[in-house]
Every structure is written in C-alpha cells, then in structure tokens.
Amino acid sequence: MKNYYIFKSGRFSRKDNSVIFEYTENGKDAHVPIPVNDIDSLYLFGEIDLNTKAINFLSQNNCMVHFFNYYGYYTGSFYPREFLNSGDVLVHQSAHYLNSKKRLYLAKEFVKSAAHGTLQTMRRYKDDIASEIEKITDYSTVIEEQTSISALMGIEGNIKETYYSSFPRIIKQPIEFEKRVKNPPDTMMNAMISFMNSLMYTEVLREIYKTQLNPLISFLHEPGQRRFSLSLDIAEIFKPVYSDRVMFSLLNNNVISKEHFDKELNYAYLLEQGRRIVVKAFDEKLQTTIQHKQLKRTVSYRHIIRLELYKLIKHLIGEKQYAAFRMWW
C-alpha cells in the first residue's frame, strides 16, 4: 500500500474494487483506476469532486484523504471511522492530559526531542551558525526546569526563533526570510516551510490512525476544535530531522528555487511543478531505511514514526516510561 498524490483537478468515483480518477488534459478525457487495496492515503492538491459512494468505499477500506487548497496548504483530512479503538488507551490518554504533572512530562519529552533533532540538523552547517547552535544548546538545558505548559512553550518558541534566524546561512541560495509567517505565508521560504510542515503533519496523522491513540488528545499543544492536535505534538519531533532536511537539500542543490513559486504572489505560492518535486523528495525520504539501534533490524523513516507512537501507548498504559526519539545519525 502507498500514498497517492493527486495534483490534477478532476473527480473520484467508485467502480468495483477500485476508485476511478477522471480528469481532462489537453482536451482529452482520462480515467485512471486505482485499486483500493493499494491505497494507504490520498493527498488531493487539485480541485476534486468526491461522491458519497467513493467516500464510503474509502472509509470501509480505512483509507485517509488529505485535502490541500489552491495554494497547496493543508486544509483538513477525511478521517475514517477508527478501526483500532481501545477504550483502555483512550481512558489513559485522557487521564494523562488531565493530570498536569503527567501532561508536563510528555510535553517536555516532545520539546527535548525537537531541540535535539534541531541541533543534529544544524550541526551539519556548524561552521556558519555556531552562535545559534550555542543559543539553542543553552535553551535546551532549561527545558526540564519549566513548571507549566505555557513556560515550556515559551522555551520552544525561543528555540524555533533562533533556528529560523539561521536559515539564511544554512540555505546557500539567496532567500528573503526575516521571520516565520504562517497565515498566510508571505515569502518563498515561509511558503516552503508551511508546505513541508503540512506534509509532516499529515504523515503523522496517517500513522496515528493505525494505532489505538486518539488524535484529538494532545499534551504539548492544547486540544482544540477542528484539529488533530496530537499530530502537532508528534510532528514537532520529526520536522527538523525529516522535513527540514529535505527542504535544505532541495534548496541547497537548487532543485527548488524561485522559479517554482509564483512571482505575482511575491513567491509565496508554490507552483504545481514545485509541489511535485517536494512531495516526491519527502516521500522518498520516508522510504529510506536505517539500521535501528534497539531493534537491531532495518526500518524505514516512516516506520520510526509508528514506533514512536507505540512507545507513547506503552507509557500511557503504564508498561514502560516514554523517552522521546533522539536521532542518532
């Protein structure tokens, strides 16, 4: 099973044991069948029509659908009815959120892991950003001292601000990037970061769906309406070592440049060609395999996310204390 990334506009419908993607290109109609047992998730970047027959069919086969708007920014997901429900895990997950001490422990682990991953990535460029590395190292030493989620988020914010300030020296092509702007992004770099973060967020959500965890109950980010906040928590761990490394590689090797963004929108809109390149590189990164230190076997980057979620479940049910992922390569 694999992810399917659809960039064209068209229509999905069901036929037998496949979903059919219909679209028009160069005045000609095309019909592409995709066997449902080959679909893990659908990523829809074009203007897509989905009828209820197709949606029900995807739901029955536990296929997630992620939607992105005209500008390529994530807007939401179709999250099928959960098929790995566990009342025990749900009760314990809720209890850990409601217990301030237990919640803070997990939130600190997420921030420590994110800081570690950030430093691991930055050290690849240490000659150019030594002062930023030193500042983030100092911030990392006081994470454990924080006594509230808000104070912890403040440290996390300082780490991110310092990290972003190093981007103009990490990235070898000229970029306009003074600060992180999200809604909407205002420059090429902010557009690139937002798109990469969306891919990371949806990848984590995809893996959560395959566990007994509830994506709505989080520990670092405050649970809220209309968002899967646990995905935000776990994505913090992997963004600096997965999506950011892909982004830096694409930019520093000039695989992605200003020509892949819309000049009329101050380069804040990643064109379809650019999105295709980024998605391909990110998916290839997730399929990369390494020798796992503890398991003593080869695992993919994608599977490491699942393993992290299993570790979290073991912690919630009292089986083994959680220690968040630390990248070792």
Side-chain angles (χ1 to χ4, degrees):
M1 297 175 70
K2 61 183 180 180
N3 294 338
Y4 282 84
Y5 302 92
I6 308 299
F7 295 92
K8 301 180 183 300
S9 296
R11 183 174 188 271
F12 270 103
S13 59
R14 176 189 176 179
K15 184 176 181 181
D16 300 326
N17 289 319
S18 298
V19 289
I20 308 297
F21 179 51
E22 306 170 58
Y23 65 95
T24 301
E25 187 172 44
N26 298 324
K28 295 182 179 180
D29 294 334
H31 299 74
V32 180
I34 306 175
V36 73
N37 57 11
D38 193 38
I39 300 173
D40 193 309
S41 294
L42 291 173
Y43 289 70
L44 306 184
F45 295 93
E47 295 183 10
I48 306 293
D49 292 329
L50 276 166
N51 61 27
T52 55
K53 190 174 182 181
I55 291 174
N56 288 332
F57 185 50
L58 291 167
S59 179
Q60 290 164 10
N61 288 275
N62 306 315
C63 299
M64 297 186 70
V65 185
H66 305 294
F67 299 94
F68 296 77
N69 67 14
Y70 172 79
Y71 297 100
Y73 306 134
Y74 174 74
T75 56
S77 296
F78 169 66
Y79 195 83
R81 183 177 63 186
E82 293 176 340
F83 67 104
L84 293 174
N85 289 320
S86 170
D88 184 50
V89 172
L90 179 60
V91 168
H92 282 90
Q93 189 176 347
S94 301
H96 276 70
Y97 167 75
L98 294 170
N99 184 304
S100 58
K101 184 178 179 180
K102 291 181 177 180
R103 178 186 177 187
L104 187 59
Y105 173 81
L106 288 171
K108 285 180 180 179
E109 279 298 305
F110 297 151
V111 176
K112 288 177 188 176
S113 175
H116 174 85
T118 297
L119 287 169
Q120 284 287 89
T121 295
M122 293 176 74
R123 288 181 182 124
R124 294 180 161 201
Y125 313 93
K126 60 184 179 181
D127 293 339
D128 299 313
I129 54 173
S131 62
E132 286 84 356
I133 290 174
E134 183 177 357
K135 285 181 68 174
I136 292 178
T137 301
D138 290 342
Y139 285 133
S140 299
T141 63
V142 299
I143 292 172
E144 189 57 45
E145 299 173 12
Q146 306 313 304
T147 58
S148 67
I149 296 295
S150 59
L152 183 62
M153 292 288 279
I155 295 297
E156 185 205 29
N158 290 335
I159 291 172
K160 284 185 176 179
E161 183 178 358
T162 304
Y163 180 42
Y164 290 140
S165 72
S166 71
F167 279 22
R169 271 158 293 135
I170 289 177
I171 297 165
K172 303 310 177 186
Q173 60 175 283
I175 60 169
E176 179 186 349
F177 185 61
E178 295 181 3
K179 63 179 181 178
R180 180 76 175 106
V181 177
K182 301 179 183 179
N183 297 312
D186 61 345
T187 62
M188 165 184 157
M189 275 308 303
N190 276 311
M192 186 75 171
I193 295 168
S194 290
F195 187 66
M196 295 297 310
N197 286 351
S198 292
L199 294 177
M200 191 73 254
Y201 173 82
T202 52
E203 186 63 33
V204 170
L205 180 60
R206 167 186 177 273
E207 292 298 329
I208 290 174
Y209 181 64
K210 296 177 181 179
T211 72
Q212 295 83 23
L213 290 166
N214 187 302
L216 302 174
I217 303 172
S218 52
F219 306 100
L220 176 61
H221 296 86
E222 196 66 40
Q225 296 181 347
R226 299 187 301 275
R227 71 175 186 177
F228 298 111
S229 50
L230 183 60
S231 294
L232 297 174
D233 282 3
I234 304 300
E236 294 297 335
I237 296 172
F238 293 101
K239 282 191 295 187
V241 291
Y242 283 15
S243 52
D244 288 356
R245 289 190 181 188
V246 170
M247 176 175 67
F248 294 152
S249 176
L250 291 173
L251 292 168
N252 285 338
N253 290 300
N254 291 309
V255 179
I256 288 288
S257 61
K258 277 191 172 183
E259 69 182 43
H260 297 103
F261 295 79
D262 192 329
K263 181 179 179 181
E264 301 301 319
L265 295 174
N266 195 35
Y267 302 100
Y269 169 51
L270 185 60
L271 299 169
E272 180 182 327
Q273 181 189 7
R275 274 180 264 164
R276 287 179 178 273
I277 292 171
V278 173
V279 164
K280 182 176 183 292
F282 184 66
D283 198 57
E284 288 175 350
K285 172 66 74 175
L286 292 174
Q287 294 179 54
T288 302
T289 59
I290 61 157
Q291 185 72 19
H292 197 283
K293 288 201 303 183
Q294 282 76 42
L295 299 180
K296 307 299 182 184
R297 62 181 175 86
T298 300
V299 299
S300 68
Y301 279 35
R302 176 172 278 130
H303 190 61
I304 288 175
I305 301 172
R306 181 93 57 90
L307 294 174
E308 193 69 12
L309 298 172
Y310 290 156
K311 284 163 50 183
L312 180 56
I313 291 172
K314 288 183 178 181
H315 175 88
L316 295 175
I317 63 177
E319 187 174 317
K320 185 178 181 180
Q321 187 168 357
Y322 177 70
F325 173 73
R326 304 290 195 274
M327 193 176 209
W328 62 87
W329 68 96

